[in-house]
Amino acid sequence: MNKKIKLIAFLFLISFFKVFCKDNIIVFSNETYLSYQIPLGSDNITSISFEHFDFSQFQLNLECSNSKNSNSTTCFTTINDEDKKQMYGDTISYNHEKDIDRSMLPTPIVSSPLRPPTKGGELVIKGTYLTFFKKSSYYQIVYPKLQYIDIKNPKLSFDPTNVNVEFPPGCGYQLIKWENGKLYNFSYENPSISNIKITSSNIIVNGSNLCDKSYPSNITINGNLIQSSNYEKDEDSIIINYIEKHSTKSKIIIETSNCTSTETNFEFKPELLTINSVPINKGGLILIDGIRLSSNPTNNNQNNITIKLGNLTCLNVISISNELISCSLIPLNKSVSNKIKSDLQVSVSINEIKNENILMYNYNIVRLNPKKYSLPNRVLQLNGDCLGNSNDTKVYLNGNEVILKDLEINYNETILSFKIPDEYQSKLNVSVKSNNVMSNEIQIDISFYVSLSNISPSTYENTNIILTLYNIKPENYNKLPTLIINEDQISITGVSLNSTSQEVHSYSFLIPVGCGIKEITIKIGSQSCLSSISYIEPIISNCKVSGYDGKSGEIICVGNFGNKNYFNQSYVLFSNNKISPPLINSTTLSFPLISEYHGDELIFEMCEIQSKLFKLKINNSPSLKRIYVSFIRTNGCLFYIFGEFFNSNINSSVFCNDTLYQGIFENTTSISFDLQIPGPNDIICNYSFNNGMNYSDFKIEYPKPIVENISTIYSSGGDLTIYGNNFYNISNITIEVNSQLQCNNIEFINLTTITCNLPSINETIQSSIFSKKLLLKITFESKSWSGYIFQYSKDEIQNNNSKNSSDKKYNINKQNKGNGSSLSKITKLIIGILIPACIILF
């Protein structure tokens, strides 16, 4: 048992003994009676008088009796509800003359919940014997510290069974000392959590009854206790210093002074900060920077990550780190790209936990990265997005367009390089224009730069490379430069070589074994510049196909594939696949050839450095034979592309109503699309196959509605139910009978049922409608059905043919009009009887 609860129980028992043993008179009371057990020889208590503030009096009369062989007398009276409200006074006496001792008063019985808020404040207590004194009345809190609960007595009326009190601030379990000295334990409200906000380094919990900082809290997140030094709190909020690196679902519990909140679930959501842009006609790699962009590694069985840009699905999602996630966008042909809107909202879902903050994506945004560039041999290499091509992109230096004959831009439009013209020697402001879109401007200090020797570092052994530093300041002539490999934070001091000038000087650096492209910083004294070194690229000498039978085989390549320590970062890029070869050494690799692969360029990549491509021809290129629209229904259809040599990496899509749908690879001969597009209006869609190798339009023609039957209805009108097929759940529906009556309050039930309210018919046309079936027409925007299926009830037709049919019809109509809506409403009365149950232990 908790120490605090033990102490409360101890004080409670001491109080109980003192109150009930004073003067050897014992008080017994509950909701319906009051009695005193009085030792023989002492005065009996035959009456108790309460003198009210207005000098009126209320008196309780008690009957006393003594049982045989008893050493005490019992004085007893019953208590009714009216008695309870009168039991108070400025003075209280017994036997008409003696002031009653407070210990002889009955103990309060609390019937309403007594859970004041931790901030304190007014509260109504309901019960019996709650207070006996109208003036200067209060309760005492005696644990954990002495405080007073003021009883707020109204001037005009007073009810000791319904008492307004002013509670002081507090927290957790407390002990009240009643007016008769009896102790009562109660608790302030439990902590309550209303909402939780997550920042990069804090959890902010907002709620109520969290208690002020004088009451320490035990806070557990996912079962882990938070140290008191890691949070700050007040009565309404708690700020917890907490960093979660992964997107995950969590639970929090707050316990203060033995009062515990309910367990509250919350989520650490992915937070998106920046996103790059790619050309819409090429697609490419999307990189998203942010926070919590990975799943919790403890959830080994859950790693479901999806990225959507508007309605576009980004493929091949990879969580590179907690702060970086990547995916690929497929190229879009012109007919589709013209329909793509700007400002596509980015949505990242990691195991069904989605980002809440808003990040927008746009194609074809030209951007230069101010933090990522290199300057070897005065060749400026810039990184960015949508940089265009070397024939059309314009480069601006210090605000002026410059004609560059050596401008180079890679296919993905992410790297641009050119040699800086000689007339530019200091700081350089650079911007580019691609497709008539201007980029941002970045500033680069080109006064100090380096040139690298033609030797690339080896992946097998340490390699000496030579760097020449240009425009060294005089104060740095006698200093040695430092080469820092930024990623690994490795510093290498250069060795001076013979040079004819101190302003331009060459140095040798011993580069450790490595792999890939490494960004470096060169420093000498107060001068520094950025550059990069590339380890030697892998080489493919030859590749061949072995044992291919149209379904499976093997591809074998020979060449120089680098150090085995980096094979875990090596891939074969082939047929739109990134393949980890199962068999590889420094000179040979092989991997399975399956029917989904097709003839293509083969590249070996190690640490993101690619070999020169090798052309490998396989006679199984994907080809389209036909398309087919199937199973057209009111809410969409299935669309198929049929052909041969299909594989799971073929990029195929359908564009309908500004929405892009990705194909589902069925097998090597078919790709399917589930187009969930509600009708009824026919639409023209566009499909693209194999990155736009084939594309065209096709039409979805929705089925017309069919009516098969209707419910019975009379000429007085009422609810009409129509049964059939191919009904559409839209708002614009019309139903017409005999080209005259419009059905109202139309309600779509399901694809086969629809209801409406048909008005009564005009008396002047009644005689002509009973002898034939009438035309029913139902219209769903562009789709409609009509037919002679409607007929009024056969019983009514027979009545109409009888002699008195018109009189009966008149009487029926008159009666209906008189009655109107005559159903009476049923009122349910629920009687609750609250019987408080209180047990006093002696």
Side-chain angles (χ1 to χ4, degrees), residues 387 389-395 402-409 416-419 432:
L387 301 178
N389 61 77
S390 56
N391 294 324
D392 300 318
T393 296
K394 298 178 181 179
V395 176
V402 178
I403 305 300
L404 300 168
K405 295 181 179 180
D406 60 347
L407 178 64
E408 295 183 3
I409 301 175
L416 176 150
S417 65
F418 61 90
K419 190 173 182 63
V432 301

Side-chain angles (χ1 to χ4, degrees), residues 44 109 119 317 326 354 410 519 593 731:
N44 292 339
I109 299 171
K119 289 183 177 180
V317 178
S326 70
K354 297 181 180 180
N410 68 340
E519 294 180 1
L593 170 61
S731 59

Side-chain angles (χ1 to χ4, degrees), residues 512-759:
V513 172
C515 183
I517 299 175
K518 303 290 186 181
E519 294 180 1
I520 61 173
T521 301
I522 306 297
K523 290 184 177 181
I524 183 168
S526 59
Q527 294 177 277
S528 67
C529 68
L530 299 175
S531 188
S532 62
I533 55 174
S534 296
Y535 283 83
I536 191 168
E537 72 179 33
I539 298 172
I540 298 176
S541 301
N542 190 28
C543 290
K544 65 178 182 178
V545 176
S546 175
Y548 183 62
D549 58 4
K551 294 183 179 179
S552 63
E554 188 176 32
I555 295 178
I556 302 172
C557 298
V558 295
N560 184 353
F561 304 124
N563 191 327
K564 65 179 182 180
N565 293 330
Y566 303 107
F567 288 163
N568 61 345
Q569 300 179 58
S570 300
Y571 304 93
V572 173
L573 307 178
F574 179 67
S575 191
N576 294 324
N577 285 271
K578 195 172 187 178
I579 306 162
S580 297
L583 296 175
I584 183 173
N585 58 40
S586 60
T587 59
T588 307
L589 66 84
S590 65
F591 60 94
L593 170 61
I594 57 179
S595 59
E596 284 83 359
Y597 295 163
H598 54 85
D600 205 344
E601 300 170 344
L602 190 149
I603 296 173
F604 180 76
E605 178 182 282
M606 173 178 279
C607 305
E608 299 184 356
I609 292 185
Q610 296 181 353
S611 69
K612 292 180 173 59
L613 63 89
F614 184 88
K615 285 282 189 178
L616 183 65
K617 182 65 177 176
I618 302 174
N619 295 321
N620 63 345
S621 298
S623 63
L624 182 148
K625 300 296 185 184
R626 64 187 179 93
I627 63 171
Y628 181 59
V629 181
S630 172
F631 193 51
I632 300 178
R633 51 205 186 278
T634 59
N635 62 345
C637 68
L638 295 177
F639 177 73
Y640 290 94
I641 296 176
F642 295 110
E644 59 183 2
F645 302 121
F646 291 176
N647 61 74
S648 59
N649 293 301
I650 292 178
N651 290 322
S652 298
S653 59
V654 167
F655 195 84
C656 299
N657 286 351
D658 297 330
T659 301
L660 189 69
Y661 299 86
Q662 301 291 342
I664 301 172
F665 173 73
E666 299 280 352
N667 51 52
T668 58
T669 62
S670 67
I671 296 172
S672 69
F673 299 80
D674 186 5
L675 304 180
Q676 296 287 335
I677 309 170
N681 301 320
D682 299 343
I683 58 173
I684 301 294
C685 297
N686 175 276
Y687 75 86
S688 172
F689 171 74
N690 197 17
N691 290 332
M693 294 294 292
N694 303 90
Y695 62 90
S696 186
D697 294 337
F698 66 94
K699 187 176 183 180
I700 300 177
E701 297 186 35
Y702 289 92
K704 293 183 178 180
I706 298 172
V707 175
E708 297 173 347
N709 200 1
I710 64 171
S711 63
T712 300
I713 192 167
Y714 295 90
S715 60
S716 57
D719 291 335
L720 175 68
T721 302
I722 302 173
Y723 305 98
N725 213 335
N726 300 333
F727 294 165
Y728 293 88
N729 186 13
I730 60 175
S731 59
N732 187 14
I733 305 172
T734 60
I735 300 174
E736 189 178 62
V737 175
N738 203 33
S739 300
Q740 299 178 25
L741 294 177
Q742 293 285 342
C743 223
N744 303 315
N745 302 324
I746 300 170
E747 183 179 357
F748 173 88
I749 304 301
N750 52 44
L751 297 177
T752 62
T753 309
I754 198 165
T755 66
C756 64
N757 186 268
L758 191 67

Side-chain angles (χ1 to χ4, degrees), residues 83-101:
D83 293 339
K84 297 172 188 176
K85 295 182 179 182
Q86 298 295 323
M87 293 175 64
Y88 69 92
D90 292 330
T91 59
I92 304 173
S93 60
Y94 68 97
N95 296 346
H96 302 289
E97 55 184 20
K98 297 183 178 180
D99 289 340
I100 198 166
D101 191 280

